[in-house]
Amino acid sequence: TGDLLVVGETIARVGGVISDPHAQTIDAKGKYVLPGGIDVHTHFNLDVGIAVAQDDFYTGTVAAAIGGTTTIIDHPGFGPEGCSIFHQIKKYHAYAKDFAVIDYSFHGVLQHMDDQVLQEIPKLADQGITSMKVYMTYDYMFNDAMLFNVFKAAKKSGVLIAVHAEDDVLIRNLRQKYISEGKKEAKYHAKSRPVISEVDAVKRVLSQAMKADNAPVYIVHLSTGEGLSIIKKARESGQNVSVETCPQYLCLDETLYSLPNHEGLKYVMSPPLRSEKDQAELWKGLADQVIAVVATDHCPFDYKLKKKIASQDFSKCPGGVAGVEARVTLLYSRGVRDKKLTVQQFVKLMAENPAKIMGLYPEKGVIKKGSDADIIILDPQKKEVIKKRNLHENVDYSPYEGFEVYGWPCLTMVRGNIIVRDKVFIGKKGSGKFIKRKRI
Ligand code: MN
Ligand code: MN
């Protein structure tokens, strides 16, 4: 309990009683004053070929800000075959500049391996982009040899490799099998990406990173308890691995795929939703600090569009759900309010750990003298029911419709500017800043 003073864009003093007759005062009595949320996994403007994710860097960051997030790191989509790793970054700078209302960065995206890419990795890091993503499935997947080589290069350059860990061989095989058998409902999306497809990919990626002199590795959107237990053992044996999960894997489960009238398509995402047992194990992983980060994988497509494209065939469905606006509140409600996490753990998961892992700390992720004044005020007593019509994400449904939540942030400040008050955006388009991140 105490005061804090913001001067300009940074925090000038923390604690005790501060009186400054020239300062504007905000009374936060009875509320939590916390570091702004950091969501390190969004997909604004993502072009998946059959559709484009519907939030851009304006609508997406406005929704993020209203939900208490003050920095995002976006995962760009793939560029043309064989392109330089600067290709997508250049494109995304143009997407974000003049649009983002909160601070932002990008992960690099790697889609092939050759000498040029290996030389470009440290050069991209010089520009403040110090994490890069590889996929073990989809069109530009990395096999074990490519993973090994990229881990070697990344380790040398102080770059963190983020990995989408799902086994491509099994997924393709099962998808074909179900489709040929005429099993095309949404639940076969989940059945074609079973637990073992994540578990096997996690094992392979950990093994390649370890062989590459224990190169740091970050597993995005972990969905399974079994994957978690493998990572836990690896960490205990000294492997440098960090893990992220998402609100959807903590709050929703696979029974939703069987909803009538194609409503299961709302939850088509990869990896898919899992069992209640997986959910419970992921929550335990958060409390035990094996999982360090809760990010959203925010990638919304209208339910109307999903139904139009994919009601006859799940494999046609653009995958992804919205989440950037509800992340902080969901984690507070289901975590702290439901006594699965302490407030301190909650703050680590939504802000401090992602800042540390992604090279943003201590400018971001902490309330401390000299840090950026990225601050949210959260009212733990205020109850709300999530309804699509009250959200600002540019999509026609929320996967969390009807959820009772507590602690929606009532104020969001980015570098000293109050940009949201009581869920109303009062900031300026384009006021977000690209943040150069430190090497890992
Ligand atoms: Mn992914
Ligand atoms: Mn993603």
Side-chain angles (χ1 to χ4, degrees):
T1 304
D3 294 347
L4 77 83
L5 178 70
V6 172
V7 176
E9 296 197 338
T10 53
I11 294 166
R13 269 180 70 189
V14 182
V17 177
I18 301 169
S19 70
D20 183 332
H22 305 294
Q24 174 200 349
T25 60
I26 300 165
D27 184 4
K29 196 170 178 196
K31 297 172 184 149
Y32 289 116
V33 178
L34 305 172
I38 300 178
D39 188 345
V40 298
H41 193 156
T42 61
H43 293 285
F44 299 147
N45 295 70
L46 183 76
D47 187 346
V48 294
I50 42 172
V52 177
Q54 291 168 196
D55 273 310
D56 62 17
F57 277 79
Y58 179 65
T59 62
T61 57
V62 166
I66 291 170
T69 288
T70 53
T71 303
I72 56 117
I73 308 181
D74 199 82
H75 279 288
F78 295 125
E81 192 171 350
C83 69
S84 146
I85 66 178
F86 290 96
H87 181 280
Q88 289 304 86
I89 296 301
K90 198 176 154 206
K91 192 162 153 185
Y92 274 66
H93 270 298
Y95 285 158
K97 192 180 178 282
D98 303 330
F99 288 87
V101 306
I102 62 175
D103 289 348
Y104 59 91
S105 177
F106 317 108
H107 303 276
V109 58
L110 303 175
Q111 53 190 84
H112 69 287
M113 275 292 286
D114 58 17
D115 286 346
Q116 189 196 340
V117 169
L118 290 174
Q119 283 162 21
E120 285 177 345
I121 288 172
K123 288 182 191 151
L124 190 58
D126 288 342
Q127 297 188 359
I129 294 173
T130 53
S131 57
M132 298 170 204
K133 166 107 162 271
V134 298
Y135 293 80
M136 295 172 78
T137 184
Y138 305 131
D139 287 345
Y140 293 110
M141 57 178 251
F142 270 46
N143 62 27
D144 287 3
M146 293 158 85
L147 287 169
F148 175 75
N149 286 320
V150 80
F151 280 127
K152 284 284 247 194
K155 167 122 192 184
K156 212 165 67 190
S157 307
V159 163
L160 178 65
I161 296 298
V163 184
H164 173 128
E166 281 190 301
D167 182 58
D168 190 72
V169 176
L170 180 63
I171 292 169
R172 278 180 203 267
N173 182 286
L174 288 173
R175 194 168 48 204
Q176 249 164 26
K177 171 180 128 77
Y178 288 127
I179 288 172
S180 71
E181 292 169 356
K183 295 172 174 166
K184 298 180 184 179
E185 303 98 280
K187 67 177 175 194
Y188 292 102
H189 166 75
K191 287 188 189 296
S192 68
R193 308 179 96 93
V195 168
I196 192 175
S197 63
E198 179 172 274
V199 171
D200 182 59
V202 164
K203 283 181 187 164
R204 285 198 286 125
V205 75
L206 290 181
S207 149
Q208 300 312 320
M210 197 46 148
K211 284 191 292 181
D213 309 318
N214 198 5
V217 52
Y218 180 89
I219 309 283
V220 301
H221 55 45
L222 189 83
S223 66
T224 62
E226 206 179 327
L228 179 64
S229 76
I230 288 159
I231 292 164
K232 187 167 184 245
K233 278 190 207 114
R235 284 172 60 89
E236 283 162 3
S237 74
Q239 180 146 19
N240 189 356
V241 50
S242 355
V243 194
E244 163 198 291
T245 191
C246 314
Q248 53 271 37
Y249 305 116
L250 295 165
C251 301
L252 306 171
D253 72 73
E254 64 196 359
T255 58
L256 292 165
Y257 291 116
S258 301
L259 288 174
N261 303 319
H262 308 296
E263 214 180 323
L265 292 172
K266 284 182 177 175
Y267 309 95
V268 169
M269 63 185 87
S270 298
L273 300 175
R274 304 295 185 186
S275 68
E276 279 185 23
K277 182 165 173 278
D278 287 293
Q279 259 183 35
E281 285 166 2
L282 293 176
W283 277 110
K284 191 163 179 304
L286 297 179
D288 295 347
Q289 301 179 53
V290 182
I291 303 177
V293 175
V294 175
T296 59
D297 204 1
H298 180 87
C299 189
F301 299 97
D302 278 347
Y303 175 40
K304 204 169 64 190
L305 177 80
K306 287 186 167 188
K307 263 195 303 196
K308 190 174 154 215
I309 304 180
S311 58
Q312 303 306 315
D313 181 351
F314 73 83
S315 73
K316 304 274 191 289
C317 190
V321 289
V324 78
E325 190 167 358
R327 181 186 68 121
V328 171
T329 304
L330 282 172
L331 191 62
Y332 179 80
S333 300
R334 295 298 168 105
V336 181
R337 179 102 189 168
D338 292 351
K339 300 196 163 34
K340 293 192 203 81
L341 302 173
T342 64
V343 179
Q344 288 79 4
Q345 286 171 330
F346 156 71
V347 172
K348 281 191 172 159
L349 291 162
M350 67 94 178
E352 183 181 328
N353 291 343
K356 285 181 170 164
I357 293 168
M358 294 296 169
L360 291 164
Y361 193 88
E363 287 78 10
K364 307 289 189 194
V366 62
I367 292 182
K368 196 170 145 180
K369 186 181 170 185
S371 294
D372 285 354
D374 293 352
I375 293 166
I376 59 174
I377 300 177
L378 183 150
D379 182 348
Q381 304 306 334
K382 195 160 180 283
K383 181 176 137 183
E384 299 216 18
V385 177
I386 295 182
K387 289 199 189 315
K388 164 51 214 153
R389 67 168 181 273
N390 298 328
L391 295 172
H392 303 78
E393 299 160 333
N394 183 34
V395 57
D396 67 1
Y397 74 101
S398 167
Y400 309 106
E401 183 76 21
F403 272 50
E404 269 189 17
V405 289
Y406 287 83
W408 202 287
C410 47
L411 181 143
T412 303
M413 179 188 288
V414 176
R415 281 177 288 105
N417 290 311
I418 297 169
I419 64 164
V420 177
R421 258 188 205 276
D422 297 320
K423 299 183 77 174
V424 178
F425 176 66
I426 51 171
K428 225 176 80 207
K429 195 172 183 177
S431 58
K433 193 171 93 176
F434 173 72
I435 305 293
K436 278 188 148 194
R437 294 186 281 127
K438 292 184 256 297
R439 282 180 147 87
I440 310 308

